[in-house]
């Protein structure tokens, strides 16, 4: 699925959906963020989103078969990613 923020291929969506299906009930989706953005050590991170976390600083994408959270300050760094 192509979004303004990034593109998730059908195979990636299915893969992530399958991973989420094997997680505990407190897992509510996938989150994407960039650690150390704007530096040579920047890394794009994909992790499970858990119920007890705050997502005030995340953009929620609900167009997929699961909830996808993208950290607001990381959006510019993942734009056009596939």
């Amino acid at each position: 699925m192509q979004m303004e923020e990034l593109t998730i291929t059908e195979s990636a969506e299915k893969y992530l959906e399958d991973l989420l299906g094997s997680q505990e009930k407190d897992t509510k989706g996938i989150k994407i963020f960039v650690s150390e953005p704007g530096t040579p050590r920047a890394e794009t991170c994909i992790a499970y989103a858990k119920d007890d976390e705050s997502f005030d600083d995340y953009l929620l994408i609900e167009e997929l078969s699961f909830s996808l959270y993208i950290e607001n300050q990381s959006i510019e760094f993942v734009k056009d990613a596939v």
Side-chain angles (χ1 to χ4, degrees), residues 5-6 10 15 38 42 45 47-48 50-52 62 69 76 81:
E5 294 78 23
L6 66 142
E10 285 183 38
Y15 177 77
C45 304
Y48 295 115
K50 300 290 188 171
D51 285 334
D52 63 351
E62 297 181 290
Y69 299 85
E76 68 180 283

Side-chain angles (χ1 to χ4, degrees), residues 20 25-30 49-51 53 55 66-67 69:
L20 285 167
K25 298 271 188 230
D26 68 338
T27 303
K28 63 191 269 178
I30 298 289
K50 300 290 188 171
D51 285 334
E53 294 179 85
F55 292 95
F66 55 87
S67 296
Y69 299 85

Side-chain angles (χ1 to χ4, degrees), residues 7-68:
T7 299
I8 304 281
T9 64
E10 285 183 38
S11 60
E13 181 177 4
K14 176 71 174 124
Y15 177 77
L16 293 170
E17 183 181 14
D18 289 346
L19 285 177
L20 285 167
S22 66
Q23 295 304 302
E24 300 292 326
K25 298 271 188 230
D26 68 338
T27 303
K28 63 191 269 178
I30 298 289
K31 64 181 178 179
I32 296 176
F33 58 96
V34 176
S35 68
E36 301 187 51
T39 71
R41 297 187 331 195
E43 292 182 327
T44 302
C45 304
I46 299 174
Y48 295 115
K50 300 290 188 171
D51 285 334
D52 63 351
E53 294 179 85
S54 172
F55 292 95
D56 293 341
D57 295 330
Y58 283 76
L59 170 67
L60 172 60
I61 306 290
E62 297 181 290
E63 301 159 5
L64 301 164
S65 58
F66 55 87
S67 296
L68 176 65

